[in-house]
Amino acid sequence: MTALSVPPFAVIPGAQVQGVLRGREKELVELVEATYRLHGAGDSVNPPSYFLRFPDRPTARIIALPASVGGDVHVDGLKWISSFPENVAAGIPRASAVLILNDPATGYPFACLESSVISATRTAASAAAAADRLTRSRGRPSRVGFVGTGLIARYVHAFLTGTGWSFDEIAVHDLSPAGAEGFRGYLAQAGTGAAITVHESAEAVVRGSDLIVFATVAASPHVHDRGWFAHSPVVLHVSLRDLAPEILLDAFDVVDDVEHCLKADTSPHLAEQLTGNRDFVAGTLADVLSGGLEVPADRTVVFSPFGLGVLDLAVGKFVYDEVARVGDLHVVEDFFSELSRYG
Ligand SMILES: NC(=O)c1ccc[n+]([C@@H]2O[C@H](COP(=O)([O-])OP(=O)(O)OC[C@H]3O[C@@H](n4cnc5c(N)ncnc54)[C@H](O)[C@@H]3O)[C@@H](O)[C@H]2O)c1
């Protein structure tokens, strides 16, 4: 008989997660790039996310992202992440999440981690990786714009600066003036040397920036004018549903995973519906990382990342390993109590 045993079950609260991740931006971008490579090489299982929606709460959803990743990470698991946009008016963050890690040998869950921070971290690390790789042919932009200035925008900015970016100008727009001002306050406190301008329109941000981050909660396209992109910027379309399909059809489109991204009424999904094919997708970020896809310097480039469960697993396992290494795991004794087959 093989020597299998049930692993202890640990709970890792948000404070521990943040303690591990703080200041590790470069390492985390490398981890996320390595995970994209594993995924691109087929060493992962990442089925479609499941969207749980509620007839009585149409703006809310909870998404299940099951996944398995090989390589050095070697773990299975599930991210379970809620989005309740109405929370924001009550002063509570929109998104909340847990991540379950499962032991690939026995299937037993061995950790439950607070995961809103892990999710924001992997999203921002992916955005920073894309910003770097997609601008290499044109040189680093010094004018960045943020449309939508919630948690994700803050994390993306922190990951850009944490991986060596600096900006001359930061343009900001949010439908909520208080949201834009809050972000300006964050930028000032983060010690940016850039000139910060809050704009009343997304147009001014897009026209005045060479790197643009969309991190809104728009459910359908609100940016339609292709003329705004005449200067061929690089766009990190993190919120996935801001851009009219015509803008994507004009651009050089990079996604994280074609099957995932062309779903759930994302802008790439709308572009597929409009054209009846997927020809507008140039390739994946893994293709860019492997050198198999060259990114033009003279066209608008749009990166649309659906957000892959394998990234959550990689960052979650990184946190778990670090907390375990320093001996700080909060193990829940006897979590699995029915372990003898015949009692
Ligand atoms: N692709 C991924 O992997 C991934 C991962 C995590 C989050 N996200 C997405 O990123 C987005 C932002 O997440 P968050 O946690 O920062 O949300 P949040 O609720 O904290 O902030 C969103 C902000 O966008 C603003 N906004 C809404 N519609 C707008 C519009 N049309 N124009 C300008 N501003 C607008 C809101 O006022 C708010 O301040 C969400 O859509 C989320 O689903 C994507």
Side-chain angles (χ1 to χ4, degrees):
M1 214 162 65
T2 37
L4 287 179
S5 62
V6 171
F9 184 80
V11 174
I12 304 186
Q16 274 191 320
V17 173
Q18 284 187 292
V20 170
L21 296 178
R22 194 171 296 125
R24 312 277 280 267
E25 288 86 358
K26 283 192 183 132
E27 229 174 311
L28 289 161
V29 169
E30 281 166 19
L31 174 64
V32 159
E33 288 191 349
T35 309
Y36 275 133
R37 286 197 182 92
L38 280 177
H39 182 64
D43 195 3
S44 65
V45 186
N46 203 133
S49 304
Y50 183 83
F51 285 63
L52 179 66
R53 296 186 192 274
F54 317 95
D56 58 333
R57 288 160 286 159
T59 61
R61 64 176 191 225
I62 312 181
I63 311 178
L65 291 85
S68 171
V69 62
D72 291 341
V73 180
H74 196 220
V75 75
D76 309 330
L78 173 77
K79 177 168 75 167
W80 182 230
I81 181 161
S82 313
S83 172
F84 280 55
E86 256 102 280
N87 285 359
V88 175
I92 302 171
R94 177 187 62 80
S96 57
V98 292
L99 177 71
I100 301 292
L101 299 180
N102 291 77
D103 171 23
T106 60
Y108 268 75
F110 63 91
C112 174
L113 297 88
E114 194 288 334
S115 197
S116 68
V117 171
I118 289 172
S119 182
T121 295
R122 65 84 150 137
T123 304
S126 147
D132 174 28
R133 300 289 171 164
L134 300 177
T135 58
R136 286 197 178 180
S137 56
R138 63 180 70 200
R140 284 204 162 174
S142 63
R143 304 183 305 166
V144 67
F146 291 89
V147 179
T149 56
L151 181 83
I152 294 296
R154 173 156 66 81
Y155 268 73
V156 172
H157 175 265
F159 264 79
L160 288 171
T161 53
T163 51
W165 289 70
S166 61
F167 302 104
D168 297 333
E169 295 174 27
I170 303 182
V172 172
H173 168 67
D174 195 290
L175 278 188
S176 149
E181 276 311 317
F183 191 65
R184 184 213 280 273
Y186 150 74
L187 291 171
Q189 185 204 342
T192 180
I196 307 165
T197 311
V198 173
H199 293 280
E200 286 188 5
S201 71
E203 176 176 4
V205 173
V206 172
R207 286 191 187 274
S209 307
D210 304 309
L211 175 68
I212 302 149
V213 182
F214 280 92
T216 74
V217 286
S220 58
H222 57 101
V223 175
H224 298 273
D225 191 337
R226 296 142 87 181
W228 297 4
F229 299 84
H231 57 302
S232 306
V234 170
V235 181
L236 306 177
H237 189 205
V238 179
S239 38
L240 293 166
R241 295 175 185 85
D242 302 83
L243 303 178
E246 292 77 7
I247 290 168
L248 267 64
L249 297 178
D250 263 2
F252 185 83
D253 288 287
V254 179
V255 299
D256 54 355
D257 180 293
V258 178
E259 283 302 324
H260 282 250
C261 207
L262 275 62
K263 276 202 174 84
D265 295 331
T266 63
S267 300
H269 189 199
L270 301 183
E272 180 186 29
Q273 288 166 350
L274 191 66
T275 59
N277 62 59
R278 300 176 165 190
D279 298 351
F280 66 95
V281 180
T284 65
L285 191 59
D287 296 332
V288 177
L289 290 169
S290 71
L293 181 64
E294 279 190 32
V295 182
D298 57 354
R299 286 182 66 191
T300 297
V301 176
V302 178
F303 176 55
S304 299
F306 196 75
L308 300 177
V310 289
L311 300 186
D312 295 288
L313 288 186
V315 174
K317 182 69 171 10
F318 177 88
V319 171
Y320 176 88
D321 287 344
E322 195 56 25
V323 176
R325 191 183 64 79
V326 298
D328 274 349
L329 281 178
H330 297 301
V331 169
V332 181
E333 298 298 342
D334 299 324
F335 188 83
F336 297 105
S337 57
E338 189 63 274
L339 293 175
S340 169
R341 187 160 172 80
Y342 301 108

